[in-house]
């Protein structure tokens, strides 16, 4: 008596979030920043609206071509003095290349990697300027790769509710929280 062949098991599919994060990670490989490589993908209704990576403005020299980075030379801490950076952030580039109408209610997927080796950067997140742009673009959800196969989700409405953690109430009035070092 012949036995029926065992049914073949299909390999487990990755989640949609991981799928789009993988695309963002691949996009980060185009980054020209010497400090960190970031890639972003904006998705709405399961359709990629736009992608972006960190790099110098179009038709200008990037840090790779120059061979140096001011922020690296001055040992500037993460999150400070972005005005000294030549790169337009991945999130900013993705937003610039899409229409606001398409981005309303969308999700932005973000991956940061090291320039040497492409290891995912733990603790990556949009800077304050990018958070402001994400809110104004109408993007509602941000998914950030935290480690291989792991990610976290942030909601723009939470940033709005907390005033991006830039303000606090003092005697009933909102006052700015001063950045470190000031």
């Amino acid at each position: 008596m012949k036995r029926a062949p065992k049914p073949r098991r299909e390999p487990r599919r990755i989640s949609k979030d991981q799928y789009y994060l993988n695309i963002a990670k691949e996009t980060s490989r185009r980054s020209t920043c010497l400090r960190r490589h970031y890639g972003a993908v904006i998705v709405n209704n399961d359709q990629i609206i736009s992608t972006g990576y960190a790099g110098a403005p179009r038709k200008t020299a990037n840090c790779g071509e120059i061979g140096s980075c001011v922020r690296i030379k001055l040992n500037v801490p993460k999150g400070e003095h972005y005005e000294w950076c030549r790169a337009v952030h991945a999130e900013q580039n993705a937003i610039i290349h899409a229409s606001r109408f398409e981005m309303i209610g969308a999700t932005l997927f973000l991956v940061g990697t090291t320039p040497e080796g492409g290891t995912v950067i733990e603790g990556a997140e949009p800077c304050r300027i990018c958070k402001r742009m994400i809110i104004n673009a109408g993007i509602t959800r941000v998914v950030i790769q935290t480690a291989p196969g792991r990610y976290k989700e942030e909601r723009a409405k939470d940033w709005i509710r907390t005033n991006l953690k830039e303000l606090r109430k003092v005697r009933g009035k909102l006052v700015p929280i001063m950045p470190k070092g000031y």
Side-chain angles (χ1 to χ4, degrees):
M1 176 179 241
K2 270 187 160 179
R3 289 187 186 186
K6 286 186 177 182
R8 262 186 45 204
R9 275 186 138 174
E10 291 295 318
R12 197 176 128 240
R13 291 176 73 188
I14 60 173
S15 70
K16 289 253 176 124
D17 284 349
Q18 191 59 60
Y19 168 71
Y20 292 121
L21 286 167
N22 290 350
I23 295 169
K25 184 176 182 186
E26 192 63 26
T27 303
S28 76
R29 294 179 59 191
R30 290 280 307 150
S31 179
T32 60
C33 178
L34 296 177
R35 194 170 160 132
R36 290 182 177 83
H37 289 181
Y38 274 86
V41 175
I42 299 173
V43 176
N44 203 351
N45 295 320
D46 261 346
Q47 179 69 44
I48 294 175
I49 304 302
S50 183
T51 64
Y53 55 86
R58 290 180 194 272
K59 300 180 181 177
T60 67
N62 64 58
C63 294
E65 293 168 333
I66 296 166
S68 67
C69 167
V70 172
R71 293 182 76 227
I72 290 173
K73 278 186 176 181
L74 297 177
N75 200 27
V76 176
K78 175 184 167 189
E80 295 181 21
H81 295 293
Y82 285 118
E83 70 275 15
W84 297 346
C85 180
R86 295 220 21 91
V88 177
H89 291 185
E91 306 94 299
Q92 295 168 345
N93 273 320
I95 290 168
I96 289 166
H97 298 134
S99 77
R100 185 171 190 280
F101 180 76
E102 291 177 305
M103 290 186 287
I104 294 173
T107 299
L108 184 141
F109 295 87
L110 182 67
V111 177
T113 61
T114 59
E116 58 291 321
T119 305
V120 172
I121 297 169
E122 291 185 35
E125 66 177 283
C127 73
R128 287 181 173 188
I129 294 168
C130 287
K131 285 180 180 180
R132 292 175 191 144
M133 291 180 72
I134 288 166
I135 290 167
N136 277 3
I139 295 166
T140 57
R141 180 175 170 249
V142 177
V143 178
I144 305 163
Q145 186 88 53
T146 57
R150 303 186 92 171
Y151 51 89
K152 68 179 181 177
E153 178 180 312
E154 296 190 11
R155 299 271 177 183
K157 68 181 181 183
D158 294 332
W159 298 341
I160 294 166
R161 184 178 43 77
T162 62
N163 283 297
L164 296 167
K165 298 181 181 171
E166 295 175 342
L167 305 171
R168 65 179 175 187
K169 274 197 173 181
V170 177
R171 293 186 215 123
K173 292 184 180 180
L174 289 174
V175 295
I177 296 171
M178 295 304 290
K180 295 175 190 169
Y182 289 91

